[in-house]
Amino acid sequence: MRVSRGIASVCLCACLGLMAQAHGQGPAAKLLRKEPVMTRHAEGTFDVKMTPLTADEGTTGTSIGRYAIDKQFHGDLDGTSKGEMLGSGDPAKGSAGYVAIEHVTGTLQGHSGSFALQHFGTMDGSGFKLTVGVVPGSGTGELAGIAGTLNIVIAAGKHSYTFDYTLPAAPAQ
């Protein structure tokens, strides 16, 4: 009796596995099917308020300045961000650098959630270089899995952005 139950179980599992495979619904089929990831483009403006912070024990006695970042995004990204920036150098003489992390919360082209942006900027005699990228693994809500690069444009005293990003494909139902 045990042998026939064992054989019946093996046959049942095999049949169900073949049926699922034939219909493309088995776990392996879901793992093998990958939707193409499409790069999306967003743009808009933002207002930023930078507030000097007092030196902490890590920056006391150095030329490193600390600033709080408070932004309001408009356009394809509608939301706010808060963060902190560290900077050093002599911007008045044309050479300086900064790093920053900001946490963005809002709606990006209909997707709600949050993510972090990491800044790395320098300026010297050859010009200004800035990289702003999404921190891997920082996306939440409908923005989970987000990746991308944000470009900041400052013209005539106004701040704007372009944001090229990807989101994972929605899971198949």
Side-chain angles (χ1 to χ4, degrees):
M1 189 94 162
R2 283 187 177 176
V3 172
S4 55
R5 272 194 221 164
I7 291 172
S9 295
V10 169
C11 288
L12 182 60
C13 288
C15 288
L16 290 174
L18 287 174
M19 286 173 53
Q21 189 175 29
H23 294 308
Q25 299 299 317
K30 287 183 182 177
L31 290 175
L32 294 176
R33 252 188 282 150
K34 289 203 174 192
E35 298 296 323
V37 176
M38 187 172 74
T39 299
R40 302 168 191 216
H41 181 79
E43 56 187 55
T45 61
F46 66 92
D47 303 307
V48 61
K49 179 181 174 187
M50 303 290 290
T51 305
L53 298 172
T54 57
D56 62 13
E57 62 185 59
T59 59
T60 298
T62 71
S63 64
I64 298 171
R66 294 178 58 228
Y67 298 86
I69 302 169
D70 191 0
K71 286 184 185 171
Q72 179 72 47
F73 289 93
H74 313 282
D76 293 332
L77 172 58
D78 184 26
T80 60
S81 78
K82 295 201 175 291
E84 188 168 329
M85 178 180 103
L86 298 174
S88 187
D90 191 347
K93 292 185 178 175
S95 59
Y98 88 93
V99 295
I101 295 278
E102 63 181 299
H103 184 86
V104 180
T105 302
T107 303
L108 176 59
Q109 295 181 326
H111 300 278
S112 296
S114 66
F115 57 93
L117 290 172
Q118 178 176 330
H119 300 234
F120 179 80
T122 60
M123 71 179 201
D124 59 21
S126 66
F128 187 72
K129 297 175 192 88
L130 176 62
T131 302
V132 182
V134 174
V135 175
S138 66
T140 67
E142 295 173 328
L143 298 174
I146 190 170
T149 304
L150 186 126
N151 183 46
I152 295 175
V153 178
I154 304 171
K158 302 285 183 187
H159 293 80
S160 62
Y161 66 88
T162 59
F163 188 21
D164 293 318
Y165 69 97
T166 60
L167 284 171
Q173 299 289 343

